[in-house]
Amino acid sequence: MHGSPHRVSDVMTRAVVAVGRTALFKDIVERMDQWKVSALPVLEGDGRVIGVVSEADLLPKEEFRDSDPDRLTQTRRLADLAKAGASRAEELMSTPAVTVHADATLAEAARIMAVRHVKRLPVVNAEGVLDGVVSRGDLLKVFLRPDNDLADEIRRDVVDVLFPAPVEPVHIIVSEGVATLTGRVADATRIPLAVRLVRGVEGVVGVDCRLTGADGRGI
């Protein structure tokens, strides 16, 4: 399925805002505000990602600004208390950084974000050098693909491959990302596979399969 963006490299942002390990707290906040981002990669001199500093890493400074935490809180939130007293990126950052490679699939990137509870992932090469950043919003861009593009890809990469000689023509209509397939095919056993493949096309929201076999039976 070469027509759709399947890899992180297809949707990532290549112009990335980052900071060095000695960046000061206020500079980090100002840069986040200026560029409207919730996290910044922290880089070594050669561009290698050594951590990420996020809003969550910065908030303890405000949370504990005028409080005197009890012993239990001190024990449970030792890391947050340390960040509350930190002033540089190397003291504030979460490390090792949660990253992804440019050739990872969009599904893999989405899974990492969900499991690690992050909104943005630095994209790195084999040496760990920053190539870009991919965000949740970037992953959702696939759902902006025009319906006609989706229909063309479904036709080319699914229908024409699985049903090269249908009993009756297979019609494909995509509306608001929902793909509807109608027609009669010679091999009804392939219909469930067709549904799975159509659902896997990047940008498809749902599938309404009305295909039937030569005997008129559907799935």
Side-chain angles (χ1 to χ4, degrees), residues 60 63-84:
E63 180 183 357
F64 296 108
R65 181 172 56 85
D66 57 358
S67 66
D68 184 16
D70 57 33
R71 186 181 299 274
L72 181 59
T73 300
Q74 293 179 30
T75 302
R76 290 181 173 177
R77 303 189 60 188
L78 189 60
D80 286 341
L81 286 167
K83 290 182 179 182

Side-chain angles (χ1 to χ4, degrees), residues 3-219:
S4 63
H6 283 277
R7 304 290 170 181
V8 167
S9 58
D10 296 321
V11 299
M12 72 182 190
T13 300
R14 298 179 184 275
V16 183
V17 184
V19 295
R21 63 161 65 237
T22 60
L24 297 176
F25 187 99
K26 188 172 181 179
D27 293 335
I28 296 169
V29 175
E30 288 176 344
R31 192 162 296 191
M32 285 183 177
D33 180 66
Q34 178 184 359
W35 294 97
K36 308 304 178 188
V37 295
S38 59
L40 296 171
V42 181
L43 309 181
E44 287 279 25
D46 58 359
R48 185 170 55 88
V49 179
I50 59 173
V52 172
V53 59
S54 68
E55 292 171 337
D57 296 317
L58 304 178
L59 282 176
K61 187 173 290 293
E62 177 64 20
E63 180 183 357
F64 296 108
R65 181 172 56 85
D66 57 358
S67 66
D68 184 16
D70 57 33
R71 186 181 299 274
L72 181 59
T73 300
Q74 293 179 30
T75 302
R76 290 181 173 177
R77 303 189 60 188
L78 189 60
D80 286 341
L81 286 167
K83 290 182 179 182
S87 60
R88 296 178 181 272
E90 61 188 349
E91 303 165 327
L92 293 158
M93 67 185 184
S94 297
T95 186
V98 181
T99 62
V100 69
H101 291 290
D103 61 354
T105 66
L106 302 188
E108 288 170 339
R111 194 172 300 116
I112 293 172
M113 287 184 186
V115 171
R116 301 302 294 270
H117 304 289
V118 295
K119 298 177 182 179
R120 295 162 60 86
L121 290 171
V123 183
V124 299
N125 64 17
E127 288 73 42
V129 174
L130 186 66
D131 278 342
V133 168
V134 64
S135 68
R136 291 176 179 176
D138 292 328
L139 299 183
L140 293 175
K141 288 177 183 177
V142 295
F143 295 105
L144 300 178
R145 295 183 66 200
D147 289 337
N148 287 343
D149 287 357
L150 297 176
D152 289 344
E153 182 171 340
I154 293 168
R155 169 71 64 186
R156 180 185 66 244
D157 294 337
V158 180
V159 171
D160 288 350
V161 174
L162 293 181
F163 310 115
V167 177
E168 294 178 359
V170 174
H171 297 286
I172 305 164
I173 298 175
V174 181
S175 177
E176 299 296 327
V178 177
T180 301
L181 282 67
T182 58
R184 295 177 66 192
V185 298
D187 188 354
T189 63
R190 294 187 175 186
I191 295 177
L193 176 59
V195 173
R196 289 197 298 273
L197 292 177
V198 172
R199 189 175 290 119
V201 172
E202 297 287 1
V204 168
V205 176
V207 182
D208 180 8
C209 183
R210 305 177 188 178
L211 295 175
T212 60
D215 60 1
R217 295 182 180 180
I219 57 176

